[in-house]
Amino acid sequence: EPEVTQTPSHQVTQMGQEVILRCVPISNHLYFYWYRQILGQKVEFLVSFYNNEISEKSEIFDDQFSVERPDGSNFTLKIRSTKLEDSAMYFCASLREINSPLHFGNGTRLTVT
Amino acid sequence: AQSVSQHNHHVILSEAASLELGCNYSYGGTVNLFWYVQYPGQHLQLLLKYFSGDPLVKGIKGFEAEFIKSKFSFNLRKPSVQWSDTAEYFCAVRYMEYGNKLVFGAGTILRVKS
């Protein structure tokens, strides 16, 4: 079964540095998402992306965050200047059509020191 | 605001015990309902989903869930758990009038003792 793949599995960065988290969604999927889970807390929605633009974003997704689908296969999340509180597991997800379940990647654990 | 509540954060059961994990969601019109499971070190996997029709849905690995509209609930059940069911279980709701995103519950960590 096709999978959503995320790289790297674990990234450690210093506060203030930029990070890019990468995802390859399932190839015939049209809707793309980023979620995050701070340790011990809920899985939280960050952003959804469809037709090469953001369709919805949460309050968490401020000016420090951006997403891009640069080449039709990758879907990236960039954090411009990381903060300690950005430490979390970041999940990418995709779906083919509206009334179908999300398929999640394995996640990238981001640690900001 | 849309919210999803899972009643138990930690559940410990012995093998062969029956399982029921509670999930309630805030009212918000038409909903799609999901249970996801996350085994240690793995990604979120879909256990089962409800979109419409029969409110009792069957998923993988012997799990089932019942949608009770009047109670805004979607509880997950399994008659007899196995050690391999040790995982974290997430209830999630898509509020159809509020976009496409899923709203997750806080998760329930299930530990099955062998």
Side-chain angles (χ1 to χ4, degrees), chain A residues 33 35 56 98 102 105-106, chain B residues 36 43 51 94 100-102:
Chain A
Y33 302 81
Y35 285 79
E56 191 177 356
I98 293 291
L102 282 177
N106 279 347
Chain B
Y36 282 86
H43 63 281
F51 289 168
R94 179 187 289 145
N100 212 359
K101 65 181 185 290
L102 292 186

Side-chain angles (χ1 to χ4, degrees), chain B residues 6-110:
Chain B
Q6 291 183 239
H7 310 310
N8 309 97
H9 192 53
H10 279 95
V11 173
I12 302 174
L13 293 173
S14 298
E15 276 195 308
S18 65
L19 170 72
E20 181 159 3
L21 302 182
C23 173
N24 285 88
Y25 62 94
S26 60
Y27 171 75
T30 306
V31 293
N32 293 161
L33 301 163
F34 306 85
W35 276 96
Y36 282 86
V37 61
Q38 188 175 28
Y39 298 103
Q42 296 188 28
H43 63 281
L44 289 160
Q45 299 174 39
L46 181 69
L47 264 183
L48 46 78
K49 64 185 186 292
Y50 172 81
F51 289 168
S52 64
D54 187 345
L56 184 62
V57 292
K58 295 194 184 299
I60 60 171
K61 306 187 182 189
F63 286 90
E64 65 179 31
E66 185 175 12
F67 171 47
I68 303 179
K69 190 174 181 179
S70 60
K71 295 184 178 180
F72 305 105
S73 71
F74 190 56
N75 292 354
L76 180 71
R77 299 194 292 249
K78 186 171 182 177
S80 176
V81 295
Q82 301 170 308
W83 177 81
S84 57
D85 293 324
T86 294
E88 189 162 12
Y89 293 80
F90 293 92
C91 180
V93 178
R94 179 187 289 145
Y95 292 86
M96 301 303 291
E97 282 85 18
Y98 293 94
N100 212 359
K101 65 181 185 290
L102 292 186
V103 179
F104 281 84
T108 297
I109 297 170
L110 171 66

Side-chain angles (χ1 to χ4, degrees), chain A residues 95-113:
Chain A
L95 76 116
R96 192 168 66 87
E97 56 191 8
I98 293 291
N99 283 333
S100 59
L102 282 177
H103 294 257
F104 284 87
N106 279 347
T108 293
R109 181 169 297 286
L110 176 65
T111 303
V112 182
T113 61

Side-chain angles (χ1 to χ4, degrees), chain A residues 32-46:
Chain A
F32 313 107
Y33 302 81
W34 283 100
Y35 285 79
R36 79 171 185 192
Q37 186 181 23
I38 295 171
L39 189 63
Q41 298 187 24
K42 289 187 180 188
V43 177
E44 302 172 290
F45 167 76
L46 292 179

Side-chain angles (χ1 to χ4, degrees), chain A residues 8-77:
Chain A
S9 57
H10 191 187
Q11 174 131 17
V12 181
T13 189
Q14 288 189 326
M15 196 166 53
Q17 296 296 304
E18 175 185 284
V19 294
I20 298 177
L21 309 182
R22 301 181 192 280
C23 169
V24 180
I26 296 172
S27 61
N28 64 349
H29 283 194
L30 302 176
Y31 299 83
F32 313 107
Y33 302 81
W34 283 100
Y35 285 79
R36 79 171 185 192
Q37 186 181 23
I38 295 171
L39 189 63
Q41 298 187 24
K42 289 187 180 188
V43 177
E44 302 172 290
F45 167 76
L46 292 179
V47 66
S48 60
F49 192 87
Y50 171 71
N51 201 25
N52 285 321
E53 61 183 22
I54 291 173
S55 47
E56 191 177 356
K57 60 183 181 180
S58 71
E59 293 172 351
I60 303 166
F61 195 88
D62 61 20
D63 292 345
Q64 292 301 308
F65 291 86
S66 62
V67 289
E68 202 176 33
R69 189 159 160 78
D71 56 12
S73 63
N74 291 286
F75 179 52
T76 61
L77 174 69

